[in-house]
Amino acid sequence: MLDLILAITHHLLVFGLVAMMMAGRVMLSARPVPVMRLARLDAGAGALSGVVLAVGLSRAIWGGKGWAFYAENPFFWGKIGCFMLIGLLTVPGTIAFLKWRKAATADPAFQPDAAEAARLRALTGVQAVVLIALLVCAAVMARWPF
């Protein structure tokens, strides 16, 4: 039963994280850019990422397949690598959003440079491609060994 609860929780959290990633992408193309909302969304996504990782690792350790299955599974490590790469790809956005929030606090009319917003939006596209690789790793991982 614990494995089922962890699996359901993990999947719901991941879907929520993906929704937040895509919401951020949409906000970056909006005019005006909702700076404060975007900064809050980014902070929430960062926190949720930590929860996703904690629940996922809990599932790997205490779930039905056990740690031995995951420790030797190259697709598990591929999935973890993709997750970490997505996290690294969010860093430029987080830094920008913190700066933007500070500027918007000082001047409520502040709007970020359109080119910078476009660059960060493009980076969310790269994150989405890595997310596809993560999902492929997850599907193969669950069926390993063939």
Side-chain angles (χ1 to χ4, degrees):
M1 187 60 133
L2 176 62
D3 184 57
L4 177 62
I5 291 168
L6 289 170
I8 291 168
T9 303
H10 186 66
H11 287 97
L12 290 174
L13 292 169
V14 168
F15 286 130
L17 186 57
V18 170
M20 293 173 89
M21 288 171 58
M22 293 306 110
R25 181 173 171 80
V26 169
M27 285 184 205
L28 283 166
S29 62
R31 290 291 168 243
V33 174
V35 172
M36 299 305 267
R37 192 169 172 208
L38 187 57
R40 285 191 304 270
L41 179 74
D42 184 66
L48 186 57
S49 293
V51 177
V52 165
L53 187 60
V55 172
L57 289 175
S58 295
R59 186 173 180 211
I61 294 167
W62 296 297
K65 292 183 179 181
W67 177 248
F69 170 82
Y70 295 98
E72 296 183 16
N73 189 319
F75 294 96
F76 169 74
W77 296 108
K79 182 179 169 185
I80 294 295
C82 288
F83 189 80
M84 294 301 167
L85 180 56
I86 292 169
L88 287 173
L89 290 169
T90 66
V91 170
T94 298
I95 292 168
F97 304 152
L98 290 171
K99 289 178 184 176
W100 296 357
R101 182 179 67 189
K102 184 176 180 181
T105 300
D107 175 12
F110 168 81
Q111 276 297 290
D113 177 64
E116 184 179 17
R119 181 181 61 80
L120 293 174
R121 186 175 189 282
L123 202 51
T124 66
V126 175
Q127 293 169 15
V129 170
V130 178
L131 176 65
I132 292 168
L134 184 152
L135 295 173
V136 168
C137 284
V140 178
M141 174 194 79
R143 289 151 183 82
W144 183 266
F146 304 118

